[in-house]
Amino acid sequence: MLRKPIETCVLEGFSAFLALAALTIAPAAAQQVTGVPGSPEATTTIDGKQLPPPPPPFGGVIKERASESTPWWPPRVVPPKGAPNVLLIMTDDVGFGAPGTFGGVIPTPTMDSLAQEGLRFTNFHSTSLCSPSRAAIITGRNHHSVGFGVVGEIATGYPGYDSIIPIDKGTIGTILKENGYATAWFGKDHNTPFYQSSQAGPFNQWPNGMGFDYFYGFVGGDASQWQPNLYRNTTPIYPFLNNPSWNLETAMADEAIHYIKQLKEIAPSKPWFVYYVPGATHAPHHPTPEWAEKIGNMHLFDEGWNKVRETIFANQKRLGVMPENAKLTPWPKELPSWDSLSWDEKKLFTKQADIYGAYLAYADNEIGRVIQEVKDLGELDNTLIIYISGDNGASAEGMLNGTPNEFTTFNGVAVPVKDQFLWYPFWGTDRTFPHYAAEWAWAMDTPFKWVKQVASHYGGTAQGMVISWPGHINDPGGVRRQFHHLIDIVPTVLDATGIPAPDAIDGIKQKPIEGVSMAYTFDKANANAPSRHTTQYFEMLGNRAIYHDGWIAATTPANLPWELSTAKPPDVITGYNWELYNVKDDPTEYADLAAKMPDKLKEMQKLFYAEAKKYDVLPLDNSTLARWNTPRPSLTAGRTEFTYSGVLTDVPAAAAPNILNKAYTITAEVEIPEGGAEGMIVTQGGRFGGYGLFLSHGVADIRRGKVVFLYNLLDLQRTIWDGPELGAGKHTIVFDFKPDGPGLGKGGTGVLSVDGQEVSRKSMEHSTPITFPEDESFDVGEDTRTGVAMLEYRYDVPFKFTGKIDKLTFKLGPDLAAEK
């Protein structure tokens, strides 16, 4: 029998492959194939309509003997020829007027450099809040369309608000990964549902489940930069232990640099997509001491928020960020002017701003280190860099006086100025979780009105952005004023890479991407071209607006974002006034035209509700506190008793027994070895709020092994119940707490008992009403990150229990938060 030559077999197999490709993968003309088909080095592009792509048919020959058969390898999927690396950077809580690149007084030389090489976008917008913006940027869809109408921590059971990105709206990570990119996510993950963030998963909405090969960062809204809840993929890590100079901003840059360099050396032809999202400048403001000193010595904020605002606006006109006809919006009557403050208020508030400025400058510097690595590897000309300054406007969540601990704000507690001076020498260190005063947020949003959370006005949604892509942007240093939004990032990246949006992912038909590409603005000829993003709704916590062809209609905020109020909000439909602006001629929203043009206002309002219906914005909800306490799916829903033994760490609040606003009993059955024991039995929280039941460390073995229950009220007050030192053998420790009555944050009486004998009874005036620090965890048998004790009974972490926990039980009473 005559056998065909190997070359003929290979070509026949390849022909069969192309025949199928014409039907299921890509037209032959569009497909880019390299290498000998069927050989190990062969590669191919795909049309990307179906992800993952269907496997090609075997193109070799199979006989009974391998010696008579012809092997054939499926080609490796690669992106189209010339597809660039993509470095997508987005900082956190940075107001439009904060960075020097957009007129601010804080130096941001990395962003400056990119702006000089590329383009500066002055009319780019977010959703006004963290995780909604982050859902929009990775999906190319509006935040309600992908379940993030609000931050995940206050999710509710409606499609637009449940914090679940639907499987029919895949992420840019998935699209690029399946088209042959390496994908990585560094920094903040605020898109894993709060109730799915434990070791029990599921992990399909962690970064690794959303198309990112590698994740290094924290999960949740914020994290200490000194001791964060840090993960590598889905595993918690603690590189900061016994390393007091460690800071996440630098560690993140180190990790990204290592990742990019490693990839270049292992797979030099493989393009990468790096999503780089540092915690800066969300609270806590945690720069290194060197940066704090450097920015403090520049005295950028000594003249106060009103003068800084005027300086920023003048800079914006000088830089062309704002046109000459733009007007600075007035300072609000609800916020005090700088001249009305006392000496000590000015001293404290200047310190707060200095630390914030240091944090932003520090973050920009670390981003610069990553970009320098791209340059050093010779990849800059082949890298599309998008640098977005903030995921929403500047944050007023420090309340009117700022705070040494952001969780005081989230629990509705204002810290007086005189009390804050206790933390003044340590501002920005690991001893604080600080946030600046709300007045600084308004100044950082210059020239606009309002701040983070307020989606109705540009102060909440305007973000400075620069894009650099050497050789592809022919107007270096140009300014672009076209209206665009975070949902436009995905289509821009797809446009630049030559990769289409898929029709299906994992067999699920995909809904259309809702943004438009900004790539048309890269051409100098289109510098003043009309925006291709013509209509955009905004909504957050009941505040709403609609943009259309240079006009915007917006509700007047009914509540102040720097106040956490328990008052009943106004009717979400009828309780709001509306404003109207021609932002084509009035880019700062200075002149309200609603009274002069009622018909135009009605037209815009009608358009808003049409868009709201289209994108799952309904039902509108302007409640805040009530949403914090909304029951939602979790591993603890409906449970009143929890049992543990041994060691269990890093359990997030959503998977832990919630003792807030209820009676509870904690019972620990332990065994103490000869010589005694010490260490944490159970804890939730840490330095900035929480509780712990432990045996004391003691000093030089004095007072070692004493039974202690410590309740840390937001780092403002610690109540301690203590008992005897435990000898060898089995013991039962019980802490029982009864609140004084129904309602939020009620005080109550706690009783500590050992082996059936009461050893301590104390009352406390208040308890934590809303939340313990979300970057801390629930730990059994060990304390991680930070300790709840400060002076008395202080210990170092990790504080491991050196005895044995046979059984630990929590019994919880009914939730009393909503009861009167």
Side-chain angles (χ1 to χ4, degrees), residues 244 331 487 710 722:
W331 186 256
I487 62 174
L710 188 153
D722 53 11

Side-chain angles (χ1 to χ4, degrees), residues 181-433:
Y181 268 76
T183 57
W185 180 332
F186 297 91
K188 178 173 175 174
D189 165 24
H190 205 184
N191 292 123
T192 297
F194 192 60
Y195 47 87
Q196 293 181 6
S197 59
S198 77
Q199 298 92 323
F203 298 104
N204 60 306
Q205 297 220 0
W206 283 62
N208 298 118
M210 293 191 284
F212 292 87
D213 296 315
Y214 184 70
F215 171 58
Y216 177 91
F218 62 93
V219 179
D222 57 16
S224 167
Q225 300 299 290
W226 301 111
Q227 302 102 353
N229 58 326
L230 186 63
Y231 291 84
R232 179 171 279 115
N233 298 316
T234 59
T235 301
I237 57 175
Y238 309 92
F240 46 81
L241 287 178
N242 302 313
N243 190 0
S245 65
W246 187 96
N247 187 289
L248 181 55
E249 293 297 316
T250 294
M252 246 183 77
D254 290 344
E255 282 284 325
I257 289 168
H258 175 73
Y259 176 86
I260 293 168
K261 181 178 182 292
Q262 174 180 268
L263 195 64
K264 173 71 172 179
E265 293 174 349
I266 296 174
S269 64
K270 185 169 188 174
W272 44 262
F273 172 65
V274 168
Y275 178 46
Y276 193 89
V277 278
T281 57
H282 196 293
H285 302 156
H286 278 162
T288 61
E290 295 80 10
W291 278 99
E293 181 180 12
K294 180 177 180 178
I295 297 300
N297 289 340
M298 295 176 71
H299 300 285
L300 302 175
F301 304 101
D302 289 7
E303 294 184 281
W305 38 66
N306 300 103
K307 181 63 176 176
V308 165
R309 195 165 182 257
E310 293 170 3
T311 300
I312 293 172
F313 190 54
N315 290 342
Q316 289 171 335
K317 288 197 171 184
R318 175 178 55 82
L319 293 169
V321 169
M322 280 290 125
E324 279 303 315
N325 68 317
K327 295 181 180 180
L328 180 60
T329 53
W331 186 256
K333 65 180 184 304
E334 294 88 354
L335 298 177
S337 66
W338 187 259
D339 290 343
S340 70
L341 303 178
S342 64
W343 177 88
D344 57 336
E345 288 173 325
K346 290 180 179 179
K347 180 178 174 65
L348 175 66
F349 298 155
T350 301
K351 178 76 165 184
Q352 294 173 354
D354 282 344
I355 294 299
Y356 172 83
Y359 193 27
L360 179 56
Y362 170 39
D364 182 79
N365 182 77
E366 299 308 295
I367 290 168
R369 291 179 52 228
V370 177
I371 294 172
Q372 185 61 50
E373 180 67 20
V374 176
K375 291 180 181 178
D376 292 346
L377 292 172
E379 290 291 311
L380 186 64
D381 288 349
N382 188 40
T383 302
L384 170 66
I385 302 177
I386 303 173
Y387 186 165
I388 303 168
S389 181
D391 56 351
N392 43 244
S395 172
E397 291 160 354
M399 307 179 82
L400 287 179
N401 290 334
T403 176
N405 176 8
E406 185 191 27
F407 290 98
T408 61
T409 297
F410 295 155
N411 285 284
V413 177
V415 184
V417 167
K418 63 180 179 61
D419 293 343
Q420 293 192 48
F421 274 95
L422 294 171
W423 290 272
Y424 184 92
F426 316 111
W427 209 271
T429 72
D430 65 346
R431 300 188 188 186
T432 62
F433 209 96

Side-chain angles (χ1 to χ4, degrees), residues 636 638-644 657 665 807-812:
T636 64
R639 294 174 61 188
T640 59
E641 187 165 333
F642 300 77
T643 302
Y644 309 93
T665 302
K807 187 177 182 181
L808 175 70
T809 305
F810 280 71
K811 292 185 178 180
L812 308 180

